[in-house]
Coordinates of all heavy atoms in Angstrom, one line a residue:
M24 N -64.5 46.0 -27.1 CA -63.3 45.8 -27.9 C -62.1 45.9 -27.0 O -61.1 45.2 -27.2 CB -63.3 46.8 -29.0 CG -62.1 46.7 -29.9 SD -62.6 47.2 -31.5 CE -61.2 46.9 -32.4
F25 N -62.1 46.9 -26.1 CA -61.0 47.1 -25.2 C -60.8 45.8 -24.3 O -59.7 45.5 -24.1 CB -61.3 48.3 -24.3 CG -60.2 48.6 -23.3 CD1 -59.0 49.0 -23.7 CD2 -60.4 48.3 -21.9 CE1 -58.0 49.3 -22.8 CE2 -59.4 48.5 -21.0 CZ -58.2 49.0 -21.4
C26 N -61.9 45.2 -24.0 CA -61.8 44.0 -23.2 C -61.1 42.9 -24.0 O -60.3 42.1 -23.4 CB -63.2 43.6 -22.8 SG -63.3 42.1 -21.8
M27 N -61.4 42.8 -25.3 CA -60.7 41.8 -26.1 C -59.2 42.0 -26.2 O -58.4 41.1 -26.2 CB -61.3 41.8 -27.5 CG -62.7 41.2 -27.6 SD -63.4 41.2 -29.2 CE -62.4 40.0 -30.1
I28 N -58.8 43.2 -26.4 CA -57.4 43.6 -26.5 C -56.7 43.2 -25.2 O -55.6 42.6 -25.1 CB -57.2 45.0 -26.8 CG1 -57.7 45.3 -28.3 CG2 -55.7 45.4 -26.7 CD1 -57.7 46.7 -28.7
S29 N -57.3 43.5 -24.1 CA -56.8 43.2 -22.8 C -56.6 41.7 -22.6 O -55.6 41.2 -22.1 CB -57.7 43.8 -21.7 OG -57.3 43.4 -20.4
N30 N -57.6 40.9 -23.0 CA -57.6 39.5 -22.9 C -56.5 38.9 -23.8 O -55.8 38.0 -23.5 CB -58.9 38.8 -23.3 CG -59.9 39.0 -22.2 OD1 -59.6 39.3 -21.1 ND2 -61.2 38.8 -22.6
M31 N -56.3 39.5 -25.0 CA -55.2 39.0 -25.9 C -53.8 39.2 -25.3 O -53.0 38.4 -25.4 CB -55.3 39.7 -27.3 CG -56.5 39.2 -28.1 SD -56.7 40.1 -29.6 CE -55.3 39.5 -30.5
R32 N -53.7 40.4 -24.7 CA -52.4 40.7 -24.0 C -52.1 39.7 -22.9 O -51.0 39.2 -22.7 CB -52.3 42.1 -23.5 CG -52.2 43.1 -24.6 CD -52.0 44.5 -24.0 NE -51.9 45.4 -25.1 CZ -52.2 46.7 -25.0 NH1 -52.7 47.2 -23.9 NH2 -52.1 47.5 -26.1
S33 N -53.2 39.4 -22.2 CA -53.1 38.4 -21.1 C -52.7 37.0 -21.6 O -51.9 36.3 -21.0 CB -54.4 38.3 -20.3 OG -54.4 37.3 -19.3
I34 N -53.3 36.6 -22.7 CA -53.0 35.3 -23.3 C -51.6 35.3 -23.8 O -50.8 34.3 -23.6 CB -54.0 35.0 -24.5 CG1 -55.4 34.7 -23.9 CG2 -53.5 33.8 -25.3 CD1 -56.5 34.6 -24.9
Q35 N -51.1 36.4 -24.5 CA -49.7 36.5 -24.9 C -48.8 36.4 -23.8 O -47.7 35.7 -23.8 CB -49.5 37.7 -25.7 CG -50.1 37.7 -27.1 CD -50.0 39.0 -27.8 OE1 -49.6 40.0 -27.2 NE2 -50.2 39.0 -29.1
S36 N -49.1 37.1 -22.7 CA -48.2 37.1 -21.5 C -48.1 35.7 -20.9 O -47.1 35.3 -20.5 CB -48.7 38.1 -20.5 OG -48.0 38.1 -19.3
D37 N -49.3 35.0 -20.8 CA -49.3 33.7 -20.3 C -48.5 32.7 -21.1 O -47.8 31.9 -20.6 CB -50.7 33.1 -20.1 CG -51.5 33.8 -19.0 OD1 -50.8 34.5 -18.2 OD2 -52.7 33.7 -19.0
S38 N -48.6 32.8 -22.4 CA -47.8 31.9 -23.3 C -46.3 32.2 -23.3 O -45.5 31.3 -23.3 CB -48.3 32.0 -24.8 OG -48.1 33.2 -25.3
R39 N -46.0 33.4 -23.1 CA -44.5 33.8 -23.0 C -44.0 33.2 -21.7 O -42.9 32.7 -21.6 CB -44.3 35.3 -23.0 CG -44.4 35.8 -24.4 CD -44.1 37.3 -24.4 NE -44.3 37.9 -25.7 CZ -44.5 39.1 -25.9 NH1 -44.4 40.0 -24.9 NH2 -44.6 39.6 -27.1
T40 N -44.7 33.3 -20.6 CA -44.3 32.8 -19.3 C -44.2 31.3 -19.4 O -43.2 30.7 -18.9 CB -45.4 33.1 -18.2 OG1 -45.5 34.6 -18.2 CG2 -44.9 32.6 -16.9
G41 N -45.1 30.6 -20.1 CA -45.1 29.2 -20.3 C -43.9 28.8 -21.1 O -43.2 27.8 -20.8
L42 N -43.6 29.5 -22.1 CA -42.4 29.2 -23.0 C -41.1 29.4 -22.2 O -40.2 28.6 -22.3 CB -42.4 30.1 -24.2 CG -43.4 29.7 -25.3 CD1 -43.4 30.7 -26.4 CD2 -43.1 28.3 -25.8
R43 N -41.1 30.5 -21.4 CA -39.9 30.7 -20.5 C -39.7 29.5 -19.6 O -38.5 29.0 -19.4 CB -40.0 32.0 -19.8 CG -39.7 33.2 -20.6 CD -39.6 34.4 -19.7 NE -39.7 35.6 -20.5 CZ -40.4 36.6 -20.4 NH1 -41.2 36.7 -19.3 NH2 -40.4 37.7 -21.2
A44 N -40.7 29.1 -18.9 CA -40.6 28.0 -18.0 C -40.2 26.7 -18.7 O -39.4 26.0 -18.2 CB -42.0 27.8 -17.3
L45 N -40.7 26.5 -19.9 CA -40.3 25.3 -20.6 C -38.9 25.4 -21.0 O -38.1 24.4 -20.9 CB -41.2 25.2 -21.9 CG -40.9 24.0 -22.8 CD1 -41.1 22.7 -22.1 CD2 -41.7 24.1 -24.1
F46 N -38.4 26.5 -21.5 CA -37.0 26.7 -21.9 C -36.1 26.5 -20.6 O -35.1 25.8 -20.7 CB -36.8 28.1 -22.4 CG -35.4 28.5 -22.7 CD1 -34.8 27.9 -23.8 CD2 -34.7 29.3 -21.9 CE1 -33.4 28.2 -24.1 CE2 -33.3 29.6 -22.2 CZ -32.7 29.0 -23.3
L47 N -36.5 27.1 -19.5 CA -35.6 27.0 -18.3 C -35.6 25.5 -17.8 O -34.6 25.0 -17.4 CB -36.1 27.9 -17.2 CG -35.9 29.4 -17.4 CD1 -36.5 30.2 -16.3 CD2 -34.4 29.7 -17.5
G48 N -36.7 24.8 -18.0 CA -36.8 23.4 -17.6 C -35.9 22.6 -18.5 O -35.1 21.7 -18.0
L49 N -35.9 22.8 -19.8 CA -35.1 22.1 -20.7 C -33.6 22.4 -20.4 O -32.7 21.5 -20.5 CB -35.4 22.4 -22.1 CG -36.8 21.8 -22.6 CD1 -37.1 22.3 -24.0 CD2 -36.7 20.3 -22.7
L50 N -33.3 23.6 -20.2 CA -31.9 24.0 -19.9 C -31.4 23.3 -18.6 O -30.3 22.8 -18.6 CB -31.8 25.5 -19.7 CG -30.5 26.1 -19.5 CD1 -29.6 25.8 -20.7 CD2 -30.6 27.6 -19.3
L51 N -32.3 23.3 -17.6 CA -31.9 22.6 -16.4 C -31.6 21.1 -16.6 O -30.6 20.5 -16.1 CB -33.0 22.8 -15.3 CG -32.8 22.1 -14.0 CD1 -31.6 22.7 -13.3 CD2 -34.0 22.2 -13.1
V52 N -32.5 20.5 -17.4 CA -32.3 19.0 -17.7 C -30.9 18.8 -18.5 O -30.2 17.9 -18.2 CB -33.5 18.5 -18.5 CG1 -33.1 17.1 -19.1 CG2 -34.7 18.4 -17.7
L53 N -30.6 19.7 -19.4 CA -29.4 19.6 -20.1 C -28.2 19.8 -19.2 O -27.2 19.0 -19.3 CB -29.3 20.6 -21.3 CG -30.2 20.3 -22.5 CD1 -30.2 21.5 -23.4 CD2 -29.8 19.0 -23.2
V54 N -28.2 20.7 -18.3 CA -27.1 21.0 -17.4 C -26.9 19.8 -16.5 O -25.8 19.3 -16.3 CB -27.3 22.3 -16.7 CG1 -26.3 22.4 -15.5 CG2 -27.2 23.5 -17.6
V55 N -28.0 19.3 -15.9 CA -27.9 18.2 -15.0 C -27.3 17.0 -15.7 O -26.5 16.2 -15.2 CB -29.2 17.9 -14.3 CG1 -29.2 16.6 -13.6 CG2 -29.6 19.0 -13.4
G56 N -27.8 16.7 -16.9 CA -27.4 15.6 -17.7 C -25.9 15.7 -18.1 O -25.2 14.7 -18.0
A57 N -25.4 16.9 -18.4 CA -24.0 17.1 -18.7 C -23.2 16.8 -17.5 O -22.1 16.2 -17.6 CB -23.8 18.5 -19.3
L58 N -23.6 17.3 -16.3 CA -22.9 17.1 -15.1 C -22.8 15.6 -14.7 O -21.8 15.1 -14.3 CB -23.5 17.9 -13.9 CG -23.3 19.4 -14.0 CD1 -24.1 20.1 -12.9 CD2 -21.8 19.7 -13.9
L59 N -23.9 14.9 -14.9 CA -23.9 13.4 -14.6 C -22.9 12.7 -15.5 O -22.2 11.8 -15.1 CB -25.3 12.9 -14.8 CG -26.3 13.2 -13.7 CD1 -27.7 12.7 -14.0 CD2 -25.9 12.6 -12.4
L60 N -22.9 13.1 -16.8 CA -22.0 12.4 -17.7 C -20.5 12.7 -17.4 O -19.7 11.9 -17.4 CB -22.3 12.9 -19.2 CG -23.5 12.3 -19.8 CD1 -23.7 12.9 -21.2 CD2 -23.3 10.8 -20.0
L61 N -20.3 14.0 -16.9 CA -18.9 14.4 -16.6 C -18.5 13.6 -15.4 O -17.4 13.0 -15.4 CB -18.9 15.9 -16.2 CG -17.6 16.4 -15.7 CD1 -16.5 16.4 -16.8 CD2 -17.8 17.8 -15.2
F62 N -19.3 13.5 -14.3 CA -18.9 12.7 -13.1 C -18.8 11.2 -13.3 O -18.1 10.5 -12.8 CB -19.8 13.1 -11.9 CG -19.5 14.5 -11.4 CD1 -20.5 15.5 -11.5 CD2 -18.3 14.8 -10.9 CE1 -20.3 16.7 -11.0 CE2 -18.0 16.1 -10.4 CZ -19.0 17.1 -10.5
Q63 N -19.7 10.7 -14.2 CA -19.7 9.3 -14.5 C -18.4 9.0 -15.2 O -17.8 7.9 -15.0 CB -20.9 8.9 -15.4 CG -20.9 7.5 -15.7 CD -22.1 7.1 -16.6 OE1 -22.8 8.0 -17.2 NE2 -22.4 5.9 -16.7
G64 N -17.9 9.8 -16.1 CA -16.7 9.6 -16.8 C -15.5 9.6 -15.9 O -14.6 8.8 -16.0
E65 N -15.5 10.5 -14.9 CA -14.4 10.5 -13.9 C -14.4 9.3 -13.1 O -13.3 8.8 -12.8 CB -14.5 11.8 -13.1 CG -14.1 13.1 -13.8 CD -14.2 14.3 -12.9 OE1 -14.4 14.1 -11.6 OE2 -14.1 15.4 -13.4
A66 N -15.5 8.8 -12.7 CA -15.6 7.6 -11.8 C -15.2 6.4 -12.6 O -14.5 5.5 -12.1 CB -17.0 7.4 -11.3
A67 N -15.5 6.3 -13.9 CA -15.1 5.2 -14.7 C -13.6 5.2 -14.9 O -13.0 4.1 -15.1 CB -15.9 5.2 -16.0
S68 N -13.0 6.4 -15.0 CA -11.6 6.4 -15.3 C -10.7 6.3 -14.1 O -9.5 6.2 -14.2 CB -11.2 7.7 -16.1 OG -11.5 8.8 -15.2
A69 N -11.3 6.4 -12.9 CA -10.5 6.2 -11.7 C -10.0 4.8 -11.6 O -10.7 3.9 -11.7 CB -11.3 6.6 -10.5
P70 N -8.7 4.7 -11.3 CA -8.1 3.3 -11.1 C -8.7 2.6 -10.0 O -9.0 3.2 -8.9 CB -6.6 3.6 -11.0 CG -6.5 4.9 -10.4 CD -7.7 5.7 -11.0
I71 N -8.9 1.3 -10.1 CA -9.5 0.5 -9.0 C -8.3 0.0 -8.2 O -7.4 -0.6 -8.8 CB -10.3 -0.7 -9.6 CG1 -11.5 -0.1 -10.4 CG2 -10.7 -1.6 -8.5 CD1 -12.3 -1.2 -11.1
Q72 N -8.3 0.3 -7.0 CA -7.2 -0.1 -6.1 C -7.5 -1.5 -5.5 O -8.6 -1.8 -5.0 CB -7.1 0.8 -4.9 CG -6.7 2.2 -5.3 CD -5.3 2.3 -5.9 OE1 -4.4 1.5 -5.6 NE2 -5.1 3.2 -6.9
P73 N -6.6 -2.5 -5.6 CA -6.8 -3.8 -5.0 C -6.8 -3.7 -3.5 O -6.2 -2.8 -2.9 CB -5.6 -4.6 -5.5 CG -4.5 -3.6 -5.8 CD -5.2 -2.3 -6.2
P74 N -7.6 -4.6 -2.9 CA -7.6 -4.6 -1.4 C -6.2 -4.9 -0.8 O -5.5 -5.7 -1.4 CB -8.6 -5.7 -1.1 CG -9.2 -6.2 -2.3 CD -8.4 -5.6 -3.5
V75 N -5.9 -4.2 0.2 CA -4.6 -4.4 0.8 C -4.7 -4.5 2.3 O -5.7 -4.1 2.9 CB -3.6 -3.2 0.5 CG1 -3.3 -3.1 -1.0 CG2 -4.1 -1.9 1.0
T76 N -3.7 -5.0 3.0 CA -3.6 -5.0 4.4 C -2.3 -4.4 4.8 O -1.3 -4.3 4.0 CB -3.7 -6.4 5.0 OG1 -3.9 -6.3 6.4 CG2 -2.5 -7.3 4.6
S77 N -2.2 -3.8 6.0 CA -1.0 -3.2 6.4 C -0.1 -4.1 7.3 O -0.7 -4.8 8.1 CB -1.3 -1.9 7.2 OG -2.0 -1.0 6.4
V78 N 1.2 -3.9 7.2 CA 2.1 -4.7 8.0 C 3.1 -3.7 8.6 O 3.7 -2.9 7.8 CB 2.9 -5.8 7.2 CG1 4.0 -6.4 8.0 CG2 1.9 -6.8 6.7
V79 N 3.4 -3.7 9.9 CA 4.3 -2.8 10.5 C 5.7 -3.5 10.5 O 5.8 -4.6 11.1 CB 3.9 -2.3 11.9 CG1 5.0 -1.4 12.5 CG2 2.6 -1.6 11.8
V80 N 6.7 -2.9 10.0 CA 8.1 -3.5 10.0 C 8.6 -3.5 11.4 O 8.6 -2.5 12.1 CB 9.0 -2.7 9.0 CG1 10.4 -3.3 9.1 CG2 8.4 -2.7 7.6
Q81 N 9.1 -4.7 11.8 CA 9.7 -4.9 13.1 C 11.2 -4.7 13.0 O 11.8 -4.9 11.9 CB 9.3 -6.3 13.6 CG 7.8 -6.6 13.8 CD 7.1 -5.6 14.7 OE1 7.6 -5.3 15.8 NE2 6.0 -5.0 14.3
P82 N 11.8 -4.4 14.1 CA 13.3 -4.2 14.1 C 14.0 -5.5 13.6 O 13.6 -6.6 13.9 CB 13.7 -4.0 15.6 CG 12.4 -3.4 16.2 CD 11.3 -4.1 15.5
G83 N 14.9 -5.3 12.6 CA 15.7 -6.4 12.1 C 15.0 -7.1 10.9 O 15.6 -7.9 10.2
E84 N 13.7 -6.8 10.6 CA 13.0 -7.4 9.5 C 13.5 -6.8 8.1 O 13.8 -5.6 8.0 CB 11.5 -7.2 9.6 CG 10.8 -8.3 10.3 CD 9.3 -8.1 10.2 OE1 8.7 -7.0 10.4 OE2 8.6 -9.1 10.0
T85 N 13.5 -7.7 7.2 CA 13.9 -7.3 5.8 C 12.7 -7.4 4.9 O 11.7 -8.1 5.2 CB 15.1 -8.1 5.2 OG1 14.6 -9.4 5.0 CG2 16.3 -8.1 6.2
L86 N 12.8 -6.7 3.8 CA 11.7 -6.8 2.8 C 11.6 -8.2 2.3 O 10.5 -8.7 2.1 CB 12.0 -5.8 1.6 CG 10.9 -5.7 0.6 CD1 9.6 -5.3 1.2 CD2 11.3 -4.8 -0.5
W87 N 12.7 -8.9 2.1 CA 12.7 -10.3 1.7 C 12.0 -11.2 2.6 O 11.2 -12.1 2.3 CB 14.1 -10.8 1.4 CG 14.7 -10.1 0.3 CD1 15.4 -8.9 0.3 CD2 14.7 -10.5 -1.1 NE1 15.8 -8.5 -1.0 CE2 15.4 -9.5 -1.9 CE3 14.1 -11.5 -1.8 CZ2 15.5 -9.5 -3.2 CZ3 14.3 -11.6 -3.2 CH2 14.9 -10.6 -3.9
E88 N 12.2 -11.0 4.0 CA 11.5 -11.8 5.0 C 10.0 -11.6 4.9 O 9.2 -12.5 5.0 CB 12.0 -11.5 6.4 CG 13.5 -12.0 6.6 CD 14.1 -11.5 7.9 OE1 13.6 -10.4 8.4 OE2 15.0 -12.1 8.4
I89 N 9.6 -10.3 4.8 CA 8.2 -10.0 4.8 C 7.5 -10.6 3.5 O 6.5 -11.2 3.6 CB 7.9 -8.5 4.9 CG1 8.4 -8.0 6.3 CG2 6.5 -8.1 4.6 CD1 8.4 -6.5 6.4
A90 N 8.2 -10.4 2.4 CA 7.7 -11.0 1.2 C 7.6 -12.5 1.3 O 6.6 -13.1 0.8 CB 8.6 -10.6 0.0
D91 N 8.6 -13.1 1.9 CA 8.6 -14.6 2.0 C 7.4 -15.1 2.9 O 6.8 -16.1 2.6 CB 9.9 -15.1 2.7 CG 10.0 -16.6 2.7 OD1 9.7 -17.2 1.6 OD2 10.5 -17.1 3.7
R92 N 7.0 -14.3 3.9 CA 5.9 -14.6 4.7 C 4.6 -14.7 4.0 O 3.7 -15.4 4.3 CB 5.8 -13.5 5.8 CG 5.0 -14.0 7.0 CD 4.9 -13.0 8.1 NE 6.0 -12.0 8.2 CZ 5.8 -10.8 8.8 NH1 4.7 -10.4 9.3 NH2 6.8 -10.0 8.8
F93 N 4.5 -13.9 2.9 CA 3.2 -13.8 2.1 C 3.3 -14.4 0.8 O 2.5 -14.2 -0.1 CB 2.8 -12.3 2.0 CG 2.5 -11.7 3.3 CD1 3.5 -10.8 3.9 CD2 1.3 -11.9 4.0 CE1 3.2 -10.2 5.1 CE2 1.0 -11.3 5.2 CZ 2.0 -10.5 5.8
T94 N 4.3 -15.3 0.6 CA 4.5 -15.9 -0.8 C 4.4 -17.4 -0.7 O 5.1 -18.0 0.1 CB 5.9 -15.5 -1.3 OG1 6.0 -14.1 -1.3 CG2 6.1 -16.0 -2.7
P95 N 3.6 -18.0 -1.5 CA 3.5 -19.5 -1.5 C 4.9 -20.0 -2.0 O 5.6 -19.3 -2.8 CB 2.4 -19.8 -2.5 CG 1.9 -18.5 -3.1 CD 2.6 -17.4 -2.4
E96 N 5.2 -21.2 -1.7 CA 6.5 -21.8 -2.0 C 6.7 -21.9 -3.5 O 7.8 -21.8 -4.0 CB 6.7 -23.1 -1.4 CG 6.9 -23.0 0.1 CD 7.3 -24.4 0.7 OE1 7.9 -25.2 0.0 OE2 7.0 -24.6 1.9
S97 N 5.6 -22.0 -4.3 CA 5.7 -22.1 -5.7 C 6.0 -20.8 -6.4 O 6.3 -20.8 -7.6 CB 4.5 -22.8 -6.3 OG 3.4 -22.0 -6.0
A98 N 5.8 -19.7 -5.7 CA 5.9 -18.4 -6.4 C 7.4 -17.9 -6.3 O 8.2 -18.3 -5.4 CB 5.0 -17.4 -5.7
D99 N 7.7 -17.0 -7.2 CA 9.1 -16.4 -7.3 C 9.1 -15.2 -6.3 O 8.4 -14.2 -6.5 CB 9.4 -16.0 -8.7 CG 10.8 -15.5 -8.9 OD1 11.5 -15.3 -7.9 OD2 11.2 -15.3 -10.1
L100 N 10.0 -15.4 -5.3 CA 10.1 -14.3 -4.3 C 10.5 -13.0 -4.8 O 10.1 -11.9 -4.4 CB 11.1 -14.8 -3.2 CG 11.1 -14.0 -1.9 CD1 9.8 -13.9 -1.2 CD2 12.2 -14.6 -1.0
R101 N 11.3 -13.0 -5.9 CA 11.8 -11.8 -6.5 C 10.7 -11.0 -7.1 O 10.6 -9.7 -7.0 CB 12.8 -12.1 -7.6 CG 14.1 -12.7 -7.1 CD 15.0 -13.2 -8.2 NE 14.3 -14.3 -8.9 CZ 14.8 -14.9 -9.9 NH1 15.9 -14.7 -10.4 NH2 14.1 -15.9 -10.5
V102 N 9.7 -11.7 -7.6 CA 8.5 -11.0 -8.2 C 7.7 -10.3 -7.1 O 7.3 -9.2 -7.2 CB 7.6 -12.0 -9.0 CG1 6.3 -11.3 -9.4 CG2 8.4 -12.5 -10.2
V103 N 7.6 -11.0 -6.0 CA 6.8 -10.4 -4.8 C 7.5 -9.2 -4.2 O 6.9 -8.2 -3.9 CB 6.6 -11.5 -3.8 CG1 5.8 -10.9 -2.6 CG2 5.8 -12.7 -4.3
V104 N 8.8 -9.3 -4.1 CA 9.6 -8.2 -3.6 C 9.4 -7.0 -4.5 O 9.2 -5.8 -4.0 CB 11.1 -8.5 -3.4 CG1 11.9 -7.3 -3.2 CG2 11.3 -9.5 -2.3
T105 N 9.5 -7.2 -5.8 CA 9.4 -6.1 -6.8 C 8.0 -5.5 -6.7 O 7.8 -4.3 -6.7 CB 9.6 -6.6 -8.2 OG1 10.9 -7.1 -8.3 CG2 9.5 -5.5 -9.2
E106 N 7.0 -6.4 -6.5 CA 5.6 -5.9 -6.3 C 5.4 -5.1 -5.1 O 4.7 -4.0 -5.1 CB 4.7 -7.2 -6.3 CG 3.2 -6.9 -6.2 CD 2.4 -8.1 -6.1 OE1 2.5 -8.9 -5.1 OE2 1.6 -8.4 -7.1
L107 N 6.0 -5.5 -4.0 CA 5.9 -4.7 -2.8 C 6.6 -3.3 -2.9 O 6.1 -2.3 -2.4 CB 6.5 -5.5 -1.6 CG 5.7 -6.7 -1.2 CD1 6.4 -7.5 0.0 CD2 4.3 -6.4 -0.8
V108 N 7.8 -3.3 -3.5 CA 8.5 -2.1 -3.7 C 7.6 -1.1 -4.5 O 7.5 0.1 -4.2 CB 9.9 -2.3 -4.4 CG1 10.5 -1.0 -4.9 CG2 10.8 -3.0 -3.5
T109 N 7.0 -1.6 -5.6 CA 6.2 -0.7 -6.5 C 4.9 -0.3 -5.7 O 4.6 0.9 -5.7 CB 5.8 -1.5 -7.7 OG1 7.0 -2.0 -8.4 CG2 4.9 -0.7 -8.7
L110 N 4.2 -1.2 -5.1 CA 3.0 -0.9 -4.4 C 3.2 0.2 -3.3 O 2.4 1.1 -3.1 CB 2.4 -2.1 -3.8 CG 1.1 -1.9 -2.9 CD1 0.0 -1.4 -3.8 CD2 0.7 -3.2 -2.3
N111 N 4.3 0.1 -2.6 CA 4.6 1.0 -1.5 C 5.4 2.2 -1.9 O 5.7 3.0 -1.0 CB 5.3 0.2 -0.3 CG 4.3 -0.8 0.3 OD1 3.5 -0.4 1.1 ND2 4.4 -2.1 0.0
G112 N 5.9 2.3 -3.1 CA 6.7 3.4 -3.6 C 8.0 3.5 -2.8 O 8.4 4.6 -2.5
L113 N 8.6 2.4 -2.6 CA 9.9 2.4 -1.8 C 11.0 2.9 -2.6 O 11.2 2.4 -3.8 CB 10.1 1.0 -1.2 CG 9.1 0.4 -0.3 CD1 9.4 -1.1 0.0 CD2 8.9 1.2 0.9
P114 N 11.9 3.8 -2.1 CA 13.0 4.2 -2.9 C 14.1 3.2 -2.9 O 15.0 3.2 -3.8 CB 13.5 5.5 -2.1 CG 12.9 5.3 -0.7 CD 11.7 4.5 -0.8
S115 N 14.1 2.2 -1.9 CA 15.1 1.1 -1.9 C 14.4 0.0 -1.2 O 13.3 0.1 -0.7 CB 16.4 1.6 -1.2 OG 16.2 1.6 0.2
K116 N 15.2 -1.1 -1.1 CA 14.6 -2.3 -0.5 C 15.0 -2.4 1.0 O 14.7 -3.3 1.7 CB 15.1 -3.6 -1.2 CG 14.6 -3.7 -2.6 CD 15.1 -4.8 -3.3 CE 14.5 -4.8 -4.7 NZ 15.2 -5.6 -5.7
V117 N 15.6 -1.3 1.5 CA 16.0 -1.2 2.9 C 14.8 -0.6 3.7 O 14.2 0.4 3.4 CB 17.2 -0.3 3.1 CG1 17.5 -0.1 4.6 CG2 18.4 -0.8 2.3
L118 N 14.4 -1.4 4.8 CA 13.2 -1.0 5.6 C 13.7 -0.4 6.9 O 14.7 -0.7 7.4 CB 12.3 -2.2 5.8 CG 11.8 -2.8 4.6 CD1 10.9 -4.1 4.9 CD2 10.9 -1.9 3.7
K119 N 12.8 0.4 7.5 CA 13.0 1.0 8.8 C 12.0 0.4 9.8 O 10.8 0.3 9.4 CB 13.0 2.5 8.8 CG 14.0 3.1 7.9 CD 13.8 4.6 7.8 CE 14.8 5.2 6.8 NZ 14.4 6.5 6.4
P120 N 12.4 0.1 11.0 CA 11.4 -0.3 12.0 C 10.3 0.7 12.2 O 10.5 1.9 12.2 CB 12.2 -0.5 13.3 CG 13.6 -0.6 12.9 CD 13.7 0.2 11.6
G121 N 9.0 0.2 12.3 CA 7.9 1.1 12.4 C 7.3 1.5 11.0 O 6.2 2.0 11.0
Q122 N 8.0 1.3 10.0 CA 7.5 1.6 8.7 C 6.3 0.7 8.4 O 6.3 -0.5 8.7 CB 8.6 1.3 7.6 CG 8.3 1.8 6.2 CD 9.5 1.6 5.3 OE1 10.6 1.2 5.7 NE2 9.4 2.0 4.1
V123 N 5.3 1.3 7.7 CA 4.1 0.5 7.4 C 4.1 0.2 5.9 O 4.3 1.0 5.1 CB 2.8 1.4 7.7 CG1 1.6 0.6 7.3 CG2 2.8 1.7 9.2
L124 N 4.0 -1.1 5.6 CA 3.9 -1.6 4.3 C 2.5 -2.1 3.9 O 1.8 -2.7 4.8 CB 4.9 -2.8 4.1 CG 6.4 -2.5 4.2 CD1 7.2 -3.8 4.0 CD2 6.8 -1.5 3.2
Q125 N 2.1 -1.9 2.7 CA 0.9 -2.4 2.2 C 1.1 -3.7 1.5 O 2.0 -3.8 0.7 CB 0.2 -1.4 1.2 CG -0.1 0.0 1.8 CD -1.0 -0.1 3.0 OE1 -2.1 -0.7 2.9 NE2 -0.7 0.6 4.1
I126 N 0.4 -4.7 1.9 CA 0.5 -6.1 1.3 C -0.8 -6.3 0.5 O -1.9 -6.2 1.1 CB 0.7 -7.2 2.4 CG1 1.9 -6.8 3.3 CG2 0.9 -8.5 1.7 CD1 3.2 -6.8 2.7
P127 N -0.7 -6.7 -0.8 CA -2.0 -7.0 -1.5 C -2.7 -8.1 -0.8 O -2.1 -9.1 -0.4 CB -1.5 -7.4 -2.9 CG -0.1 -6.9 -3.0 CD 0.4 -6.8 -1.6
A128 N -4.0 -8.0 -0.8 CA -4.9 -9.1 -0.1 C -4.7 -10.4 -0.9 O -4.9 -11.4 -0.3 CB -6.3 -8.6 -0.1
S129 N -4.4 -10.3 -2.2 CA -4.2 -11.6 -2.9 C -3.0 -12.4 -2.4 O -2.9 -13.6 -2.7 CB -3.9 -11.2 -4.4 OG -2.8 -10.4 -4.6
R130 N -2.1 -11.7 -1.6 CA -0.9 -12.4 -1.1 C -1.3 -13.0 0.3 O -0.4 -13.7 0.8 CB 0.2 -11.4 -0.9 CG 0.7 -10.9 -2.2 CD 1.7 -11.9 -2.7 NE 2.1 -11.5 -4.1 CZ 2.3 -12.3 -5.0 NH1 2.2 -13.6 -4.8 NH2 2.6 -11.9 -6.2
L131 N -2.4 -12.7 0.9 CA -2.7 -13.2 2.2 C -3.3 -14.6 2.2 O -3.9 -15.0 1.3 CB -3.7 -12.3 2.9 CG -3.2 -10.8 3.0 CD1 -4.3 -10.0 3.6 CD2 -2.0 -10.8 3.9

């Protein structure tokens, strides 16, 4: 009889260990799933940056001249200048030699 009680305790102990392992496994799956959803949401909400190329402003160059260089004749130069000001975060349309401007690849 003592042997039976000992075996029952062993079986109960084994089933508790198995339940704990199952619970921990499910908890791990839930945590990993939640993290994947969190990071996937952040990646989806990140703005997509258009491809750009850099242009170094030469002495005497103006924003209008640089914009004209990358604008087809049929396009409105004012729109391109405004686009460059916005893209580069320029406080004004006055450029300094050595300044680096980003030009959208769609303009190349």
